[in-house]
Amino acid sequence: SAVISQKPSRDICQRGTSLTIQCQVDSQVTMMFWYRQQPGQSLTLIATANQGSEATYESGFVIDKFPISRPNLTFSTLTVSNMSPEDSSIYLCSVAFYREETQYFGPGTRLLVL
Amino acid sequence: GENVEQHPSTLSVQEGDSAVIKCTYSDSASNYFPWYKQELGKRPQLIIDIRSNVGEKKDQRIAVTLNKTAKHFSLHITETQPEDSAVYFCAASGYNTDKLIFGTGTRLQVFP
């Protein structure tokens, strides 16, 4: 497994602003993913963060709203842009190692948009 | 694309009883099926997984079974304890893809 950290752990933001969430892993990983978990709901994949290239977004998620960076094998950011109350959720990153399907999750970032 | 259904949505059992959670998937090419446990306010934690070349896997009180023909897999927890109370998610990944599609979750409550 790996030690995965996320910053911030929680935040309260005003509508119309943007928040960047960081995900840091203590070892090099092949895959990094970003998920959203709305209150009491399951995990929905937002995108796969690709190292050195544009992220791969799932249906219903677009780059303008959720820009993602992955400059190296241990770090990724997710930005939630032009926030509205509907963006209030937990955002989680997950990682997977080379040739392993198992995903390990970060502790999550709790976002409340007022 | 892949779709994963999970039942039941809530499950209440007495301590010591068994609990069974079932999932079905749509993509016959799916080949990896993990189960995650999420305690309140915590991250999802992998508790057991199974690959499509195996029919059953056990780890102490936890077991997972896979029926590829019927495209369903189940989590079995025996001798349940109050600390087993959590939300459990099944997931499936397709052939040649790293993505996981999650089920809707089962809230398990174990009463002492």
Side-chain angles (χ1 to χ4, degrees):
Chain A
S1 63
V3 176
I4 309 166
S5 60
Q6 283 186 236
K7 290 181 182 178
S9 58
R10 59 179 64 229
D11 208 342
I12 301 173
C13 301
Q14 297 297 319
R15 69 173 66 207
T17 62
S18 298
L19 176 71
T20 295
I21 302 167
Q22 298 178 3
C23 179
Q24 179 77 53
V25 193
D26 69 342
S27 53
Q28 293 186 345
V29 292
T30 305
M31 307 296 296
M32 296 183 80
F33 305 90
W34 286 98
Y35 289 83
R36 182 174 71 185
Q37 186 175 31
Q38 295 180 308
Q41 302 295 312
S42 184
L43 296 98
T44 301
L45 181 63
I46 297 171
T48 303
N50 299 310
Q51 195 251 329
S53 64
E54 192 172 287
T56 305
Y57 290 85
E58 297 300 306
S59 175
F61 298 95
V62 295
I63 187 171
D64 290 347
K65 176 68 176 177
F66 297 102
I68 288 171
S69 78
R70 190 177 170 195
N72 56 50
L73 292 176
T74 63
F75 185 78
S76 178
T77 67
L78 167 75
T79 299
V80 187
S81 303
N82 188 25
M83 289 184 284
S84 67
E86 292 71 37
D87 293 319
S88 297
S89 192
I90 299 172
Y91 292 86
L92 298 124
C93 68
S94 74
V95 307
F97 292 92
Y98 179 64
R99 289 197 171 182
E100 290 187 24
E101 303 107 323
T102 304
Q103 290 186 27
Y104 301 95
F105 283 87
T109 295
R110 292 176 177 274
L111 172 61
L112 177 63
V113 184
L114 302 177
Chain B
E2 175 71 282
N3 183 51
V4 179
E5 295 188 359
Q6 183 171 346
H7 299 281
S9 57
T10 60
L11 180 58
S12 297
V13 299
Q14 205 74 34
E15 182 177 2
D17 288 350
S18 295
V20 181
I21 302 170
K22 298 182 179 181
C23 289
T24 60
Y25 59 98
S26 60
D27 186 354
S28 57
S30 292
N31 61 355
Y32 175 65
F33 308 93
W35 286 89
Y36 288 85
K37 174 184 180 182
Q38 188 175 31
E39 297 177 70
L40 189 63
K42 303 284 184 65
R43 74 186 81 188
Q45 297 269 20
L46 179 75
I47 56 172
I48 196 167
D49 56 12
I50 192 167
R51 290 170 174 79
S52 59
N53 58 347
V54 175
E56 183 175 358
K57 184 177 178 180
K58 289 181 98 170
D59 183 3
Q60 299 182 354
R61 297 186 297 109
I62 294 173
V64 56
T65 59
L66 172 64
N67 183 327
K68 283 169 39 181
T69 304
K71 290 190 286 187
H72 68 68
F73 56 112
S74 301
L75 178 71
H76 305 253
I77 306 174
T78 58
E79 301 172 29
T80 54
Q81 301 167 1
E83 49 267 37
D84 294 328
S85 297
V87 179
Y88 291 81
F89 293 100
C90 64
S93 81
Y95 178 75
N96 218 24
T97 176
D98 301 299
K99 298 191 303 185
L100 288 178
I101 304 302
F102 282 82
T104 48
T106 297
R107 182 173 301 277
L108 173 65
Q109 288 186 295
V110 181
F111 293 98

